[in-house]
Amino acid sequence: MYLMVTSRPNLSAAVSYFAGFQYYATNDHWVHLKLVLRFLRGTVDSKLVFRRTEAYDDADWGNESNGRRSVPGFVVELYGSTVMWATKEQGAVAMSSTEAELMALCLTSCEFVWAT
């Protein structure tokens, strides 16, 4: 399980399958488990390559329909996959579009640090 979580996500199906037979494994299970171990030995030099982590944000400024509060939104991509996104009305009224963007950037930065 440790190998699968930390370095080998391609083992998840095998780990899940064999975990179901942990208490009553037969000789057939052991034979197939040895095949998985041979696969691991043969792919020791294989590596996963991850792309960089990115975050995007934007905010409108002082929308009349919601009492002049800005509405920021953000997207965080971790290794090329979107892992979190949100949009929420800001708690304070921004005095300029720059301030609205900075408040959105602060929210995005907090989420980005938490995700990475």
Side-chain angles (χ1 to χ4, degrees):
M1 185 70 130
Y2 174 78
L3 280 174
M4 180 196 70
V5 171
T6 58
S7 63
R8 301 298 294 263
N10 56 344
L11 294 176
S12 61
V15 169
S16 176
Y17 176 78
F18 287 115
F21 300 102
Q22 184 174 1
Y23 293 108
Y24 52 93
T26 64
N27 285 335
D28 287 339
H29 295 115
W30 286 110
V31 169
H32 288 81
L33 183 59
K34 286 180 186 178
L35 290 173
V36 172
L37 293 174
R38 283 189 204 128
F39 167 77
L40 284 174
R41 186 176 43 182
T43 59
V44 168
D45 296 327
S46 299
K47 295 180 176 88
L48 293 173
V49 179
F50 295 114
R51 296 186 302 179
R52 64 182 184 198
T53 305
E54 298 178 332
Y56 306 95
D57 70 12
D58 194 20
D60 71 344
W61 176 49
N63 191 347
E64 286 292 331
S65 65
N66 60 2
R68 306 196 53 79
R69 295 183 189 266
S70 301
V71 180
F74 70 88
V75 174
V76 175
E77 291 182 354
L78 188 62
Y79 306 124
S81 299
T82 300
V83 292
M84 64 177 61
W85 62 93
T87 182
K88 182 181 177 185
E89 185 177 291
Q90 288 178 344
V93 176
M95 301 305 286
S96 67
S97 62
T98 303
E99 186 178 4
E101 292 289 341
L102 286 173
M103 292 166 87
L105 182 61
C106 180
L107 173 67
T108 305
S109 299
C110 290
E111 296 295 331
F112 183 79
V113 168
W114 181 84
T116 58

